[in-house]
Amino acid sequence: MRTLTHRLLWIAVLSVFIASCTKDDNQTRPTPSSTDTREATVEAITLSENFESGTKAAYAAANVTPGSGSWYFDEALIGNLSTDAKTGVASARIRNTGSITMNFNATGANTISIAHAVFGSDGSSTWQLWISTNNGSTYTQTGSTITSSSTSLQTVTFNVNVTGNVRLSIRKVSGGSNRINIDNITINTTGGGTGAGDNSHLLLGNPSGAMASIAFPTNYLVDQTYYSISYNNARSTPNWVSWHLNSNDVGSTSRQDDFRPNTALPTGWYQVGSGSYSGSGFDRGHNCPSGDRTSSVPANSSTFLMTNMIPQAPQNNQQTWNNLEIYIRSLLSAGNEVYIIMGNYGTGGTGSNGGTSTSIDNGHVTVPSNVWKVIVVIPDGNNDLSRISTSTRVIAVNTPNINSISSDWKSYRTTVDAIESATGYDLLSGLPANVQQVIEAQVDNL
């Protein structure tokens, strides 16, 4: 959740921890044979609607057929004005207590992502997502009531678990004549981890509204089984990586060191190789660390795909972030589980070669200026979302990507709100708004 101001803008012994956590020595590693099949799988999309097709210019109730199928619009239209918040040329616009509702069924839903914003200079409004599993006969609200207050699209992800037919109804419930825009509605039938419930890698939200569609090459959603990624083909790095971690994920599997290209990326996309960082002065810095996935060989091997790497200053990678990762895993032995989101932003870092580098690998890979991480800590248990409250510990860290960095990660603690402001992401959006408002504004001091 971003603050209102921004809206008007995720045990083994110590020696095993240290060995598995040091992410790179910047030496080229052997690439596995072409028969290795432990590569990426993308989220399976049941429905994707961005309102780029179909025409409805008036608010009067009527059916309209955009790309996904027939929808019933009540006090709603398809807007294409400069004041409509949208990804492409159009989005849905709703006023008063209007709604947009599917007249057809999708099959299965684990997560539902919806982008939303206020129209033009209108004030805030709230809306709800309702779903039907009986062909539209009855509907039930899912998730919390959402407030739209930003003039730019923000994405909220609802975690559901429907295996049969499902219909969506998006209902504006407050704000009077203020209008809201709705865009980029996506239903996914896989959610990473153990599904869309507890331990799902996207349980706390999809920070950038990433989608598993080649139409979104700079925000491409990948379910890597052991973590989820928003991949940026223009930068050849992830925007962010999100994963759940508990004591079952930490075992005795040795570090595989099988750095390799991700051959499951869409055809024609650049594939970063195991040697692409060689001589650059930057480590192949893991997002989801090797040490967080030592329960099995496939789990650990998955972390060495180059789509999980960023060019990271060696001292930043091997000391500051290594120390933070060791600390996070120590929380597991104290009876906790954690949800983690790591990302980067900006351009230009300083590696062991000195100076400022904006890219490596002949310009294919962007060097970020900052590396950040958000960690949500809760005691081991079930029904995780309901157990996260305003008193839950959240650790947010933001470091410059430089080689002269301090090894003490605690000195780089910040707020989730500050990271959201720097990135434009909506972190922890799966939590109730009142919980987000408190925990995202605090700086951890333990």
Side-chain angles (χ1 to χ4, degrees):
M1 175 181 176
R2 306 178 68 182
T3 64
L4 186 57
T5 298
H6 294 147
R7 290 194 179 200
L8 291 179
L9 240 178
W10 162 277
I11 198 159
V13 295
L14 184 59
S15 61
V16 173
F17 285 161
I18 296 173
S20 63
C21 174
T22 303
K23 293 180 284 190
D24 186 46
D25 58 9
N26 212 31
Q27 309 234 344
T28 302
R29 305 291 183 182
T31 301
S33 71
S34 59
T35 59
D36 193 312
T37 60
R38 297 170 303 210
E39 310 299 345
T41 58
V42 299
E43 300 273 6
I45 293 181
T46 298
L47 175 141
S48 181
E49 180 55 72
N50 56 15
F51 303 105
E52 296 299 286
S53 62
T55 301
K56 188 175 186 297
Y59 287 105
N63 293 325
V64 62
T65 305
S68 60
S70 174
W71 290 68
Y72 180 70
F73 276 42
D74 182 16
E75 290 286 341
L77 53 75
I78 293 179
N80 57 10
L81 301 179
S82 61
T83 43
D84 282 294
K86 53 191 180 294
T87 296
V89 299
S91 61
R93 190 197 310 160
I94 309 173
R95 71 177 184 182
N96 299 332
T97 54
S99 63
I100 60 173
T101 303
M102 292 165 54
N103 291 324
F104 61 98
N105 293 325
T107 303
N110 277 8
T111 62
I112 301 169
S113 297
I114 301 172
H116 63 101
V118 300
F119 170 80
S121 59
D122 284 7
S124 300
S125 298
T126 62
W127 57 274
Q128 299 169 345
L129 175 63
W130 291 63
I131 63 172
S132 172
T133 58
N134 56 7
N135 305 314
S137 295
T138 60
Y139 283 83
T140 303
Q141 184 185 353
T142 186
S144 59
T145 299
I146 305 301
T147 299
S148 293
S149 58
S150 172
T151 56
S152 59
L153 289 172
Q154 308 295 314
T155 299
V156 60
T157 299
F158 299 86
N159 295 278
V160 298
N161 188 15
V162 178
T163 57
N165 291 335
V166 60
R167 296 189 185 192
L168 309 185
S169 181
I170 297 169
R171 304 177 179 183
K172 185 171 176 290
V173 294
S174 79
S177 61
N178 290 332
R179 294 152 292 184
I180 62 171
N181 287 119
I182 298 293
D183 206 359
N184 302 333
I185 302 172
T186 304
I187 300 177
N188 289 305
T189 56
T190 55
T194 59
D198 284 359
N199 304 350
S200 166
H201 304 314
L202 296 179
L203 181 68
L204 303 191
N206 180 332
S208 60
M211 296 189 182
S213 167
I214 60 174
F216 299 90
T218 61
N219 193 22
Y220 183 69
L221 186 64
V222 182
D223 175 7
Q224 200 60 65
T225 303
Y226 302 100
Y227 50 91
S228 292
I229 303 174
S230 165
Y231 187 72
N232 191 322
N233 187 50
R235 294 170 68 98
S236 296
T237 63
N239 297 310
W240 51 261
V241 178
S242 184
W243 68 101
H244 173 263
L245 177 66
N246 64 20
S247 58
N248 293 329
D249 297 309
V250 180
S252 58
T253 298
S254 61
R255 179 182 168 96
Q256 298 302 296
D257 273 337
D258 51 346
F259 292 93
R260 62 199 186 279
N262 192 331
T263 58
L265 287 175
T267 302
W269 287 19
Y270 183 73
Q271 292 186 10
V272 183
S274 61
S276 291
Y277 289 24
S278 296
S280 68
F282 292 92
D283 283 1
R284 295 168 292 194
H286 284 64
N287 281 258
C288 180
S290 165
D292 282 8
R293 293 293 182 254
T294 54
S295 61
S296 68
V297 169
N300 189 259
S301 179
S302 74
T303 69
F304 289 91
L305 289 164
M306 293 303 294
T307 45
N308 185 42
M309 306 295 164
I310 57 171
Q312 196 167 2
Q315 298 305 309
N316 183 296
N317 176 40
Q318 298 173 27
Q319 293 190 18
T320 314
W321 285 98
N322 184 43
N323 291 338
L324 175 56
E325 291 163 6
I326 292 172
Y327 176 75
I328 293 170
R329 286 191 287 273
S330 75
L331 297 172
L332 306 183
S333 62
N336 297 299
E337 57 184 300
V338 294
Y339 287 88
I340 306 169
I341 313 165
M342 177 172 171
N344 66 92
Y345 66 88
T347 301
T350 302
S352 59
N353 294 341
T356 299
S357 299
T358 59
S359 66
I360 62 173
D361 192 19
N362 296 316
H364 287 295
V365 181
T366 298
V367 177
S369 63
N370 286 74
V371 187
W372 57 268
K373 183 173 285 187
V374 171
I375 306 104
V376 178
V377 185
I378 56 176
D380 288 330
N382 299 313
N383 301 312
D384 292 351
L385 283 178
S386 66
R387 297 187 299 117
I388 299 175
S389 69
T390 55
S391 61
T392 294
R393 185 183 183 192
V394 175
I395 308 168
V397 178
N398 188 354
T399 68
N401 189 22
I402 57 177
N403 220 31
S404 57
I405 192 171
S406 166
S407 62
D408 181 10
W409 61 267
K410 292 182 178 180
S411 63
Y412 298 99
R413 286 180 290 188
T414 183
T415 66
V416 175
D417 283 337
I419 294 174
E420 288 183 327
S421 180
T423 62
Y425 298 152
D426 189 4
L427 301 170
L428 312 184
S429 61
L431 298 176
N434 64 312
V435 175
Q436 293 182 59
Q437 187 173 18
V438 174
I439 65 177
E440 293 186 1
Q442 297 175 344
V443 178
D444 176 71
N445 60 6
L446 297 181

